[in-house]
Amino acid sequence: MIHTICHLIASREHGGLEKHVADLSRWQARNTDAHVAVIAHPRYLPTLDERIQFIPLNTDRSRHHPNLVWRLASLIRKGGYQIVHGHGSKSAQLMAAVQPYTETRQVITRHNVRHPRDKLASAFDARIAISHNTVANSKLEWTIIPNGVEWSAPAANAPLLGLPPCDEPTLLVASRLIKARCVDKLIAALPLLPGVRLMVLGDGPEKEALQQQVNSLQLEARVVFFAGNNAVANFIQAADLVIIPAAAEGTPYTLLEALLHGTPVIAGASGNVIDYLPKEYLLHEIEPTPIAEKIHEALKSTTLNADFAPLFARAQEEFTLDSMAQATWQVYSDLIA
């Protein structure tokens, strides 16, 4: 019987890994009888469910800092957790450092290819990876559990303000608007795609520059910006294609949400994306012309629905929060049995 679980985040970002922990810990707190805690920097408190016991720790210190290792070991001993689950490279290295001082079972999840290699990973009681690609370089045994998202139905009768109905193809990019997401490359591709319009869902420091780019290209009638706090499900269902132009190492949550809602995706051919999409829908060059060519081919394809039908079916089975959380719980149960 699992009574106590503690998750550890030691990163400095607010990305897929942190969302993964927030979603997984929330599911565990709401669907099991276990006491669930999260040890992390105080900046992550607002992202966590109110049922989670939050334990603040200044993880911005170096992983070699003796006070950080000592403090983490003390928190784990005080909590008496049956399982400590670390996420990301720094978490794994910190957990390895406290092994001589704690007796809890340790689980790690590998989220990207930069995660610790086999020498360190072999030290843990169980190893989870979010895709086959993340452990393609490993000789160890891993449990593959894809990221999952909580499916939400589109809000009834929710109009997409500023987007008049039309029969033209509609694209969606849903992202934090930073340079690394390459939304500017997608906008620059639109002049090569007559009649195609674009919904940009998100906020970030590049939003004003992107709006200026739209104005300079005279695309105001074809590009509409929406705030990132809008329900993504409505936008996905209104789109013919979801575009993820960024080169990312992890698994974009927009990809999973689009597949769950039955909308085809074109994405950069990097990281875990290659485990999900057919090669015909991967972007190998993040530049306006190749992006436009790939979108044009997809919109004209007579096999688009057939190409994605198996992925839509797989999404319903594997890419939900419930499926991810239950598979993770089984890993825990096997350790405690």
Side-chain angles (χ1 to χ4, degrees):
M1 187 72 175
I2 301 170
H3 301 289
T4 55
I5 305 163
C6 181
H7 295 273
L8 174 64
I9 308 174
S11 59
R12 296 189 178 208
E13 302 174 358
H14 279 285
L17 183 155
E18 294 73 30
K19 176 175 170 53
H20 175 100
V21 177
D23 290 347
L24 179 59
S25 61
R26 181 181 71 252
W27 186 96
Q28 291 171 346
R30 292 178 176 267
N31 293 277
T32 75
D33 294 326
H35 173 78
V36 183
V38 172
I39 298 175
H41 191 280
R43 63 175 160 265
Y44 294 117
L45 175 59
T47 69
L48 300 175
D49 189 272
E50 59 185 10
R51 303 187 190 189
I52 305 298
Q53 179 192 6
F54 180 72
I55 304 172
L57 180 66
N58 183 11
T59 54
D60 286 351
R61 290 176 171 176
S62 166
R63 64 192 70 189
H64 303 297
H65 196 293
N67 286 348
L68 178 57
V69 174
W70 174 84
R71 180 63 177 156
L72 177 60
S74 298
L75 292 174
I76 292 173
R77 288 197 303 268
K78 181 179 179 180
Y81 307 109
Q82 293 169 286
I83 292 172
V84 174
H85 189 162
H87 303 263
S89 174
K90 188 174 180 179
S91 293
Q93 292 185 334
L94 287 172
M95 286 169 57
V98 303
Q99 281 180 354
Y101 316 111
T102 60
E103 298 180 354
T104 185
R105 295 296 186 97
Q106 293 188 338
V107 178
I108 58 169
T109 291
R110 182 169 177 170
H111 291 263
N112 57 57
V113 295
R114 292 180 297 173
H115 199 283
R117 302 299 191 253
D118 285 3
K119 184 177 180 180
L120 178 60
S122 63
F124 299 100
D125 298 296
R127 293 172 294 273
I128 298 170
I130 66 170
S131 76
H132 291 282
N133 180 63
T134 60
V135 290
N137 61 349
S138 177
K139 296 180 180 179
L140 299 175
E141 182 177 337
W142 295 79
T143 300
I144 307 300
I145 304 176
N147 275 343
V149 295
E150 194 162 23
W151 190 90
S152 58
N157 301 320
L160 300 180
L161 299 178
L163 193 69
C166 77
D167 296 328
E168 301 293 344
T170 300
L171 312 177
L172 169 67
V173 59
S175 168
R176 178 158 171 74
L177 301 181
I178 58 177
K179 289 184 178 180
R181 296 296 185 261
C182 301
V183 177
D184 60 325
K185 305 289 188 181
L186 175 58
I187 291 173
L190 280 185
L192 303 173
L193 295 164
V196 175
R197 61 182 184 172
L198 172 66
M199 300 181 292
V200 180
L201 175 62
D203 294 297
E206 290 298 302
K207 189 165 189 174
E208 183 176 348
L210 293 172
Q211 290 172 327
Q212 291 176 355
Q213 180 188 11
V214 167
N215 293 337
S216 66
L217 293 173
Q218 298 182 342
L219 293 172
E220 299 95 327
R222 293 205 281 141
V223 180
V224 183
F225 288 83
F226 297 90
N229 57 0
N230 283 279
V232 68
N234 290 80
F235 292 87
I236 289 174
Q237 295 236 322
D240 296 287
L241 287 173
V242 170
I243 314 297
I244 305 173
E249 284 197 352
T251 304
Y253 275 85
T254 303
L255 168 63
L256 304 180
E257 290 175 305
L259 296 178
L260 277 171
H261 286 280
T263 301
V265 181
I266 291 175
S270 65
N272 300 324
V273 170
I274 63 176
D275 279 359
Y276 293 86
L277 296 182
K279 61 182 181 180
E280 296 85 0
Y281 301 94
L282 295 173
L283 290 166
H284 294 280
E285 188 178 356
I286 311 299
E287 292 296 337
T289 298
I291 292 173
E293 291 174 349
K294 189 69 69 172
I295 291 171
H296 178 76
E297 291 170 3
L299 292 175
K300 298 298 182 182
S301 174
T302 59
T303 63
L304 182 65
N305 291 333
D307 291 342
F308 275 89
L311 290 174
F312 296 154
R314 181 187 173 198
Q316 298 300 320
E317 292 291 328
E318 299 180 24
F319 302 160
T320 65
L321 174 58
D322 192 62
S323 62
M324 177 189 78
Q326 290 197 31
T328 303
W329 192 260
Q330 186 60 54
V331 171
Y332 297 169
S333 299
D334 291 343
L335 284 181
I336 300 301

